């Protein structure tokens, strides 16, 4: 059993769905949803489909924290990040999902691309809701559950 699986089991997360690109767990008592990406790249339409399913979970319960485990990614896709940032997060904030924990791939270039893209999104969308969100970058599922 890998560390991610044991952290999920230990914290009583239930597998809600698994498709080619992602595995999604939830623990309604803790108010946490975890999305673990499974591939090195996700086409934007498939990315949006995964998040449409996650939206249904958020709508059905009382969730406040979303953990996004992107460690499997090896490609950075700015349009996906923009949609996720400007559309999905806005809708989720309205439903009470205000804490976002991100686990990035170990490659430093990926983290740099995320920070550059985030800066650009904020500059081009000054009225975005980023300041209303509690966003932290973590190194593991365990850490993301705790902080």
């Amino acid at each position: 059993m890998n560390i991610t699986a044991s952290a999920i089991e230990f914290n009583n997360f239930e597998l809600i769905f698994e498709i080619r690109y992602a595995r999604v767990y939830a623990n309604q008592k803790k108010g946490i949803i975890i999305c673990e990406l499974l591939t090195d790249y996700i086409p934007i339409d498939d990315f949006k489909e995964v998040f449409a399913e996650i939206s249904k979970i958020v709508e059905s319960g009382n969730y406040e924290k979303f953990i996004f485990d992107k460690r499997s990614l090896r490609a950075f896709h700015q349009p996906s990040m923009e949609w996720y940032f400007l559309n999905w997060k806005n809708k989720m904030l309205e439903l009470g999902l205000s804490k976002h924990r991100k686990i990035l791939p170990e490659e430093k270039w990926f983290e740099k691309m995320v920070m550059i893209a985030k800066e650009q999104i904020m500059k081009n969308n000054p009225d975005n809701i980023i300041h209303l969100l509690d966003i932290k970058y973590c190194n593991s599922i365990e850490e993301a559950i705790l902080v």
Side-chain angles (χ1 to χ4, degrees):
M1 179 182 307
N2 65 32
I3 291 173
T4 298
S6 61
I8 287 169
E9 254 182 42
F10 179 77
N11 287 283
N12 298 313
F13 280 86
E14 177 186 349
L15 178 64
I16 304 298
F17 73 89
E18 181 174 348
I19 57 174
R20 178 178 176 196
Y21 296 103
R23 195 178 292 135
V24 175
Y25 303 89
N27 180 322
Q28 194 162 10
K29 277 187 184 167
K30 291 186 181 206
I32 302 173
I33 295 172
I34 299 171
C35 176
E36 176 187 12
L37 298 183
L38 303 174
T39 60
D40 58 2
Y41 172 74
I42 303 176
I44 191 165
D45 290 337
D46 296 299
F47 184 81
K48 288 180 178 181
E49 182 183 319
V50 167
F51 280 85
E53 291 302 311
I54 294 170
S55 297
K56 292 176 189 173
I57 299 165
V58 176
E59 290 167 359
S60 73
N62 190 19
Y63 295 97
E64 66 173 10
K65 185 188 281 187
F66 178 68
I67 299 171
F68 194 7
D69 184 350
K70 309 180 199 183
R71 287 179 283 189
S72 69
L73 290 180
R74 297 295 172 262
F76 180 81
H77 189 245
Q78 176 125 4
S80 294
M81 183 176 174
E82 286 181 13
W83 175 85
Y84 167 74
F85 229 82
L86 298 172
N87 297 86
W88 191 78
K89 281 186 177 180
N90 277 323
K91 290 178 185 145
M92 294 306 101
L93 181 60
E94 291 171 14
L95 298 172
L97 196 69
S98 62
K99 296 178 182 176
H100 294 262
R101 303 297 178 258
K102 299 168 188 243
I103 307 168
L104 299 177
E106 287 184 23
E107 293 82 0
K108 289 297 171 198
W109 67 263
F110 194 97
E111 182 179 345
K112 189 167 182 64
M113 291 298 298
V114 167
M115 296 309 161
I116 290 168
K118 183 177 172 182
E119 202 175 290
Q120 193 66 39
I121 290 169
M122 292 170 64
K123 183 178 156 196
N124 295 342
N125 302 276
D127 53 346
N128 70 61
I129 51 122
I130 190 79
H131 62 284
L132 302 175
L133 300 174
D134 173 0
I135 299 172
K136 289 185 174 58
Y137 292 88
C138 302
N139 294 312
S140 67
I141 295 285
E142 299 88 344
E143 180 186 352
I145 290 168
L146 295 172
V147 296

